[in-house]
Amino acid sequence: MKNSSENDNIAKEDSGPVGRSETRVDALDKVTGKAVYADDFKPQGLLYAAVVRSPIPSGKIESIDASQARKLEGVRTVVTAEDVPGSNVVTVIEEDQPALASNEVRYAGEPVVLVAADERKTAEKGAEAVVVDYQETEAVFDPLEALEEDSPRVAQEEVSEEGNLFDRMVLEKGDFEGALEEASVVVSNEYRTGHQEHGYIEPQGITAVPVARGKMEIHGTMQCPFYVQNAVSAALGYQINKVRVVQLETGGAFGGKEDVPSQVAVLAALLAHKANKPVKLTYDRREDIESTSKRHPSVVHYRTAADENGNLLGVEAEVFLDSGAYQTLSEAVLFRSLVHTPGPYSIPNVKVVAKSVATNKVPNGAFRGFGSPQVIFPHESQMDLLAEKLNKSPAGIREANILRSGDRTATSQKVEKSVGLEKSLRRAKELSDWEKTRSEYDKWNKSHENSKKGIGLSTVMYGVGMGAGAPFLEKAGAYVKLEVDGTLTLAVGNTEMGQGAETVLAQIAANPLGLEVEKVDLTDVDTSRVPDSGPTVASRTTTMAGNAIIDALETLKKRIGAVARELLNCSGVLFENGYVVDSEDKSSRISLEEVAGEMWSQNVDLAAEGWARKGMKNWKPETGQGDAYFVYSYAAHVSEVEINSLTGQVEVTKYVAVHDSGKIINPTTAAGQVEGGVAQGIGYALTEDLAEREGEFLDPDFTNYLMPTSQDVPDNLVVDFVEADYPEGPYGAKGLGEVPLMAAHAAVINAVSDAIGERVFEYPATPERILRAYLR
């Protein structure tokens, strides 16, 4: 009989098997070469993880000493890059980002060592006890400097086009140089934006559970379970079908839980694999801000050419996105930036060059809008400046140039279906009383020295879905099962993260069977239940998952109808209010519950799968021409502001947001999406300043990072929808989620510039920047 101290030591990472009744060796551990037994894979109690991160932005790892950490009571295992059983990568698009840095670090906050312990505080103490010696090397933090020939190298050769240039994309249509020669007016400026923090309520968190030899379950907060599954499979060296991922209730994401959970899950899984126990890794707010992806900072050089009547002749732009140290999703973000740079306008001549650049900063990734806000800021500012030069109204110059049905975009894509921008603009002007308000504010500003009022307008378009940049992800699956009590169980591969998808998808599923929404239950997203449905991003869930649900229900309805026709002795049936009804005699009906029971008795399959897919087939990446997205959503926003010209303080006093997102399935949740997007756009334009110095965030908390509260959003916020139905969407719906933020920041900054009579060229427009612009 062993004493308690011996029993405690069994859990220590270097302890061998003690007192086994089985002598058969089931496997050899790939890293240690030690014998592995079947009963090693019985999890015994949750461990908590902590991460040792690089304190420097660039350097070589000279040595790692974890001996003191291992001696701490309660510390159960320590993992370094040498312990990774599979590939030491976090798979996203490329495979340049290591799970754990092995030889060098490329940003402050990069994971180097992992510690797991019985308690979270113990794990944190263990992490503090790890000693890592670094030889610091020269770093680069500005994307333009990073492209210089003598810049320190950040990007790895296999994932860069040249030096620190990750990717270069082009969009060329017509002859911009010729347009310059014809132009009566040319507007040229540089625009800059900084990081934006996602600010989700729930920080990153993953629990990894080894459930059997060579099997791992991942439970946590995430947007894209299938991304996580692939990443964990690669890092552990497991078959994909040995990794099950379940998305739990997710407290906000905004893009921040698209790519980052793959890294968090890999770190937790590496510890769980080595310790053979469940491991939970959750970030506190400071760690979350310091180490996770942000919106890409940007520099945009933009030239706009027009004739004397304000008709756009050409646009030329050079876009630089600061990717940080690794690629993550920058290639996909850059594609959307490229396509959206010219804006929602009919322009005959366009030349855009977009570049993603490596720097020694935290890797940047997905954020609501996905590369489009950085280019909407310039294109909407340029439209206002053009109007000013030509002595025209900002609304008038947009009305002259916006896309209408039958027009072609900058990529030469003909937009014919569901083009509601003109109606949106007209409605926004009407709801804001645009002309009258502009006139009143002009009079106000002439008679008030310390208070200035402004009104600003923005018009935007948004390509729904993954587009030609990633057509292989334009898919979605659904599983539906009619239960014997007449209720419906629904499983999809796209996630709920606070955007209202659960409600909308339940409505889509309920309608074909004539059910109340309460009769539909949407299960947790589970990679073992549905096929890879692509990511929950790009405002694609309603369109893609909705179509997959309808496809599944078409199959199920046929089975239900066949049995119901027998029971009712009729030739056709309808579904109404929980009943199956004779289409010729509506008094003859039977409850769906009764039909389900009969189907069960007859051994008729009560479940069905559905599938939806889209694809762009004529895209030419060498010129950026062709169909970029299968459909576009549109919006027109109007913002009104009042500015204290002594302090630069801004108050958004009134707001109007009008959207064309096709058929609105649920007006309440849709309005909530718009209201939240407006708030996020106000923050991006005015207050969210994530100060950094040499790759480190100076205040990684919410004390000084000022996200808008309810007090910063105007009480007078009007939301309206122009429903230009999309015939290929579920009941005419198309995407909404990202568009409100995209339009909001531009309307706000245009209102600010209107109020002070000067243009602000950098986000956020803090009081200091506003005063500098006002006084110049």
Side-chain angles (χ1 to χ4, degrees):
M1 181 132 181
K2 303 175 183 66
N3 61 38
S4 58
S5 61
E6 288 175 324
N7 282 325
D8 288 342
N9 286 334
I10 293 174
K12 287 286 187 178
E13 63 167 343
D14 294 327
S15 300
V18 180
R20 296 192 179 278
S21 57
E22 296 280 322
T23 57
R24 181 173 61 85
V25 175
D26 292 290
L28 292 177
D29 186 275
K30 195 173 175 181
V31 174
T32 66
K34 293 180 180 179
V36 177
Y37 300 82
D39 56 353
D40 277 334
F41 294 91
K42 297 175 183 175
Q44 300 178 38
L46 182 68
L47 301 180
Y48 295 85
V51 185
V52 178
R53 299 182 181 276
S54 169
I56 61 172
S58 179
K60 303 292 184 182
I61 297 175
E62 298 286 298
S63 64
I64 298 173
D65 181 2
S67 59
Q68 295 304 308
R70 290 188 173 96
K71 293 176 182 178
L72 288 176
E73 184 176 355
V75 169
R76 300 303 175 190
T77 194
V78 175
V79 170
T80 66
E82 294 180 353
D83 300 314
V84 177
S87 300
N88 184 24
V89 296
V90 178
T91 302
V92 187
I93 295 176
E94 304 288 352
E95 295 189 347
D96 60 326
Q97 183 174 11
L100 294 170
S102 56
N103 299 314
E104 62 181 301
V105 293
R106 292 182 171 85
Y107 69 95
E110 183 163 7
V112 180
V113 182
L114 305 173
V115 178
D118 295 335
E119 302 290 340
R120 181 168 179 167
K121 288 185 178 179
T122 306
E124 291 169 350
K125 288 180 181 178
E128 291 171 2
V130 174
V131 177
V132 183
D133 288 331
Y134 302 91
Q135 180 186 345
E136 191 163 0
T137 55
E138 187 180 358
V140 62
F141 308 106
D142 182 274
L144 301 186
E145 291 178 9
L147 291 176
E148 294 176 1
E149 190 173 341
D150 59 349
S151 171
R153 183 67 181 258
V154 184
Q156 294 162 70
E157 186 174 347
E158 58 271 22
V159 295
S160 72
E161 294 198 11
E162 180 184 4
N164 287 323
L165 177 64
F166 275 142
D167 288 291
R168 179 182 183 274
M169 299 181 185
V170 298
L171 190 163
E172 293 184 278
K173 174 187 177 183
D175 176 15
F176 179 76
E177 295 302 323
L180 282 179
E181 294 178 5
E182 295 179 25
S184 299
V185 59
V186 177
V187 177
S188 180
N189 289 293
E190 179 183 279
Y191 298 84
R192 286 180 176 260
T193 65
H195 286 101
Q196 187 181 19
E197 165 62 28
H198 299 89
Y200 31 67
I201 293 174
E202 175 193 31
Q204 302 283 345
I206 294 288
T207 300
V209 183
V211 292
R213 179 162 55 88
K215 286 188 175 183
M216 188 71 67
E217 282 190 5
I218 304 294
H219 301 258
T221 176
M222 66 188 76
Q223 289 179 241
C224 307
F226 296 95
Y227 283 11
V228 173
Q229 184 185 39
N230 290 332
V232 172
S233 169
L236 295 184
Y238 289 4
Q239 296 174 183
I240 289 179
N241 65 354
K242 303 297 184 183
V243 179
R244 177 188 176 209
V245 180
V246 180
Q247 183 245 4
L248 305 179
E249 289 291 335
T250 294
F254 312 113
K257 293 174 183 173
E258 179 179 352
D259 50 328
V260 174
S262 294
Q263 182 188 50
V264 183
V266 164
L267 300 182
L270 289 172
L271 284 166
H273 169 83
K274 188 173 181 184
N276 188 39
K277 286 190 174 187
V279 172
K280 176 182 282 189
L281 174 57
T282 56
Y283 293 174
D284 62 20
R285 184 63 63 184
R286 189 177 187 89
E287 183 177 22
D288 198 299
I289 294 176
E290 284 180 328
S291 65
T292 67
S293 70
K294 310 283 178 279
R295 188 185 299 286
H296 291 68
S298 68
V299 180
V300 180
H301 301 142
Y302 207 108
R303 279 202 294 177
T304 310
D307 65 19
E308 68 275 8
N309 296 316
N311 298 308
L312 292 175
L313 299 178
V315 160
E316 180 187 53
E318 191 171 20
V319 179
F320 301 90
L321 295 186
D322 183 347
S323 299
Y326 298 108
Q327 274 268 24
T328 67
L329 292 166
S330 287
E331 182 181 337
V333 173
L334 189 70
F335 175 81
R336 190 170 288 276
S337 290
L338 176 81
V339 173
H340 289 76
T341 293
Y345 306 111
S346 179
I347 312 171
N349 305 288
V350 181
K351 182 178 181 180
V352 180
V353 177
K355 301 175 181 180
S356 57
V357 185
T359 62
N360 290 111
K361 296 180 183 177
V362 63
N364 296 301
F367 200 127
R368 193 178 192 177
F370 208 73
S372 65
Q374 294 95 318
V375 296
I376 289 170
F377 171 32
H379 76 56
E380 287 306 280
S381 296
Q382 292 284 106
M383 292 300 284
D384 273 21
L385 288 167
L386 203 60
E388 183 182 324
K389 279 202 169 189
L390 292 167
N391 196 29
K392 292 183 179 294
S393 162
I397 202 164
R398 286 172 172 81
E399 287 169 328
N401 291 285
I402 56 173
L403 290 166
R404 295 170 172 85
S405 182
D407 287 343
R408 292 190 180 273
T409 68
T411 72
S412 299
Q413 179 175 356
K414 192 173 184 179
V415 289
E416 296 179 286
K417 302 173 183 177
S418 186
V419 186
L421 181 55
E422 185 176 18
K423 288 183 179 179
S424 298
L425 177 55
R426 188 184 309 133
R427 183 65 172 151
K429 286 177 61 183
E430 177 187 329
L431 290 171
S432 64
D433 206 352
W434 168 263
E435 297 297 348
K436 180 181 177 182
T437 304
R438 284 193 79 216
S439 177
E440 289 177 351
Y441 284 180
D442 185 53
K443 293 176 183 177
W444 173 277
N445 291 337
K446 288 177 181 177
S447 60
H448 291 76
E449 183 65 29
N450 298 332
S451 172
K452 301 296 180 182
K453 293 184 178 182
I455 183 169
L457 171 66
S458 68
T459 48
V460 302
M461 66 186 293
Y462 182 78
V464 177
M466 307 305 294
F472 48 87
L473 292 175
E474 210 67 278
K475 57 195 172 189
Y479 170 85
V480 295
K481 182 174 71 166
L482 181 65
E483 307 293 353
V484 292
D485 63 354
T487 59
L488 190 72
T489 296
L490 169 64
V492 297
N494 301 104
T495 61
E496 170 64 63
M497 49 193 169
Q499 81 275 39
E502 186 172 329
T503 302
V504 169
L505 296 181
Q507 285 182 266
I508 291 172
N511 189 68
L513 298 182
L515 287 171
E516 297 176 355
V517 175
E518 292 74 16
K519 298 286 187 180
V520 179
D521 181 66
L522 189 65
T523 66
D524 290 336
V525 178
D526 184 335
T527 57
S528 68
R529 296 194 63 150
V530 291
D532 187 343
S533 298
T536 307
V537 299
S539 303
R540 65 189 292 274
T541 297
T542 296
T543 308
M544 296 303 296
N547 278 340
I549 291 166
I550 290 172
D551 183 55
L553 285 168
E554 284 299 315
T555 301
L556 186 58
K557 278 177 66 179
K558 290 177 182 178
R559 296 184 200 146
I560 297 170
V563 174
R565 286 194 298 272
E566 288 180 12
L567 295 174
L568 294 173
N569 192 25
C570 66
S571 60
V573 294
L574 303 171
F575 295 83
E576 293 181 354
N577 301 319
Y579 287 86
V580 187
V581 182
D582 184 340
S583 58
E584 297 180 356
D585 177 11
K586 292 195 175 182
S587 65
S588 177
R589 59 180 53 209
I590 186 171
S591 71
L592 190 58
E593 182 178 355
E594 291 177 84
V595 179
E598 184 62 25
M599 291 173 71
W600 184 86
S601 297
Q602 294 183 21
N603 295 331
V604 176
D605 190 356
L606 290 163
E609 292 184 349
W611 190 249
R613 64 178 180 176
K614 293 281 186 181
M616 319 309 296
K617 298 181 179 179
N618 66 348
W619 181 255
K620 298 177 180 178
E622 63 275 11
T623 59
Q625 294 296 290
D627 293 352
Y629 296 93
F630 61 81
V631 72
Y632 295 86
S633 291
Y634 305 89
H637 283 203
V638 176
S639 173
E640 298 176 33
V641 302
E642 183 171 1
I643 301 177
N644 184 322
S645 59
L646 297 177
T647 66
Q649 194 69 35
V650 181
E651 179 186 0
V652 181
T653 56
K654 183 179 178 181
Y655 204 94
V656 170
V658 181
H659 284 256
D660 163 32
S661 287
K663 178 67 176 176
I664 300 301
I665 304 293
N666 188 305
T668 300
T669 59
Q673 281 277 54
V674 175
E675 290 162 0
V678 168
Q680 216 164 20
I682 291 171
Y684 187 43
L686 298 179
T687 63
E688 296 186 34
D689 190 10
L690 192 57
E692 64 171 277
R693 183 183 298 127
E694 296 186 343
E696 294 186 63
F697 299 118
L698 303 181
D699 297 297
D701 54 45
F702 288 159
T703 302
N704 293 310
Y705 185 75
L706 304 178
M707 294 188 300
T709 69
S710 59
Q711 300 299 306
D712 301 301
V713 179
D715 293 333
N716 194 349
L717 198 171
V718 180
V719 177
D720 199 16
F721 296 99
V722 172
E723 295 182 302
D725 288 1
Y726 173 49
E728 296 173 24
Y731 310 114
K734 57 184 181 180
L736 170 63
E738 302 190 65
V739 190
L741 180 148
M742 294 164 49
H745 66 89
V748 170
I749 201 66
N750 282 345
V752 168
S753 294
D754 180 59
I756 64 174
E758 294 287 344
R759 182 60 45 178
V760 178
F761 294 100
E762 184 172 1
Y763 277 176
T766 58
E768 294 82 0
R769 286 178 179 146
I770 289 172
L771 286 178
R772 282 199 295 270
Y774 179 61
L775 296 173
R776 67 171 172 245

